[in-house]
Amino acid sequence: MQNNTFTRLFVGQNLVVLKEADSTNNYLKELLSNTKPVADGTVIMAESQYAGRGQQQNKWHSAPGMNLTFSLLLRPSFLPLGQQFYLTQAVSIGVVSALRQATSENVQVKWPNDIYFGDKKLGGILIENIVQGSNIKHSIVGIGLNVNQTDFPPEVPNPTSVKQILHSDHDLHQLLSQICAHIEAWYLKLKAGKWDEIRQAYLNNLYWLNQEREFSSDGVDFTGTITGITEHGFLVVRTESEEKEFNLKQIQFLNK
Ligand code: BTN
């Protein structure tokens, strides 16, 4: 294990780099269950994960040493439980804005928190909250980004990477540091109660917003337009006949 420090930031100031972990989210969770205190903003980065986890019980594939796989500890105790989607939005915007700066204006967030470049997936975020009473005690923010990998296993759906965008290798630590700085800036806005600004930034960067597209729900394909997101993070889609709210399990985006 190697211990590094960034200057200036609270996010990533305490950086732990592991050669290997099952999942950095699991590693951080275990660290929190030990008696030794873990500093806010601690980042656990692994060169390789052998049991990386994605959303909805999916696996997260990442070629060893080529990409960013890390977890960040936040303590948004100021955020009421029902409002945790604001954390998702703040983190997503932080990652998107860092990647836009490093790569291209075409980086967007696909609801709820996939990172997309055009119609391809550049990365994903898995936030796991540890709740105490009606507040979030710890938030484990796991982030996986394809950076220098260009060959992906066939089971990974429509991936892309920073290298495929820029046609050159990118320094992982430099990119991590930029992402930490951007997440911190948006997290501080969240803490300062600038919820409208966060919501607006999320919508401004939302994949397929206000576009007529194809979706599927309960095995039925339909045409609809994303018109917004509810306070609690449901996707609002307008069809010819109605406006409906969906959770993550209820809707699929169809790239036709
Ligand atoms: C998704 O798009 O499904 C979310 C992917 C999240 C992957 C990251 S990699 C670092 C952290 N550790 C994990 O096991 N998962 C997250």
Side-chain angles (χ1 to χ4, degrees):
M1 191 195 295
Q2 182 194 337
N3 230 317
N4 277 326
T5 47
F6 294 137
T7 47
R8 81 194 149 81
L9 302 166
F10 103 84
V11 172
Q13 215 165 47
N14 181 32
L15 170 66
V16 178
V17 182
L18 307 171
K19 273 251 158 273
E20 189 181 69
D22 55 346
S23 144
T24 52
N25 271 32
N26 295 352
Y27 186 94
L28 189 48
K29 241 182 261 173
E30 273 157 39
L31 214 58
L32 287 168
S33 63
N34 294 342
T35 44
K36 228 174 127 198
V38 184
D40 240 6
T42 291
V43 168
I44 310 291
M45 171 186 179
E47 287 172 16
S48 165
Q49 287 189 132
Y50 56 86
R53 294 188 286 114
Q55 294 215 19
Q56 298 188 289
Q57 269 72 54
N58 288 323
K59 287 186 178 151
W60 184 254
H61 297 271
S62 180
M66 294 206 148
N67 301 314
L68 281 177
T69 47
F70 65 97
S71 300
L72 149 69
L73 175 65
L74 293 172
R75 292 197 172 94
S77 51
F78 54 87
L79 199 62
L81 246 191
Q83 306 297 331
Q84 73 244 42
F85 192 67
Y86 278 96
L87 178 67
T88 300
Q89 293 179 91
V91 170
S92 304
I93 289 305
V95 176
V96 164
S97 55
L99 284 165
R100 277 181 165 227
Q101 216 172 63
T103 63
S104 142
E105 287 296 300
N106 291 337
V107 178
Q108 288 186 301
V109 53
K110 181 182 171 193
W111 174 84
N113 53 8
D114 280 350
I115 309 300
Y116 262 53
F117 169 73
D119 291 319
K120 289 179 179 265
K121 184 161 169 168
L122 191 54
I125 303 172
L126 177 67
I127 300 182
E128 297 181 292
N129 291 319
I130 298 167
V131 173
Q132 193 172 54
S134 54
N135 288 82
I136 301 170
K137 189 177 177 203
H138 307 295
S139 225
I140 296 171
V141 178
I143 299 175
L145 291 170
N146 302 325
V147 183
N148 295 322
Q149 186 171 353
T150 52
D151 285 324
F152 294 89
E155 64 269 27
V156 178
N158 64 332
T160 191
S161 65
V162 171
K163 184 167 182 178
Q164 283 172 319
I165 300 169
L166 296 179
H167 307 289
S168 60
D169 281 315
H170 209 85
D171 184 83
L172 295 181
H173 281 271
Q174 191 193 346
L175 188 59
L176 175 64
S177 165
Q178 290 165 332
I179 292 168
C180 287
H182 282 255
I183 292 179
E184 175 164 304
W186 284 97
Y187 183 71
L188 292 178
K189 284 183 200 281
L190 181 67
K191 212 168 174 178
K194 296 181 179 166
W195 293 15
D196 284 346
E197 190 180 336
I198 292 168
R199 192 183 169 73
Q200 206 44 60
Y202 183 84
L203 287 176
N204 288 345
N205 289 284
L206 190 63
Y207 180 72
W208 284 12
L209 181 74
N210 294 329
Q211 297 174 26
E212 194 168 89
R213 295 286 185 161
E214 300 298 309
F215 299 88
S216 168
S217 179
D218 274 337
V220 180
D221 293 1
F222 66 95
T223 304
T225 303
I226 297 173
T227 54
I229 309 286
T230 69
E231 186 85 355
H232 298 292
F234 288 82
L235 186 73
V236 185
V237 180
R238 191 187 61 228
T239 65
E240 243 177 59
S241 53
E242 59 182 345
E243 197 158 64
K244 251 183 117 174
E245 296 172 6
F246 296 91
N247 71 26
L248 188 54
K249 289 189 183 131
Q250 291 168 329
I251 189 164
Q252 289 84 45
F253 289 48
L254 301 179
N255 282 88
K256 286 189 174 165

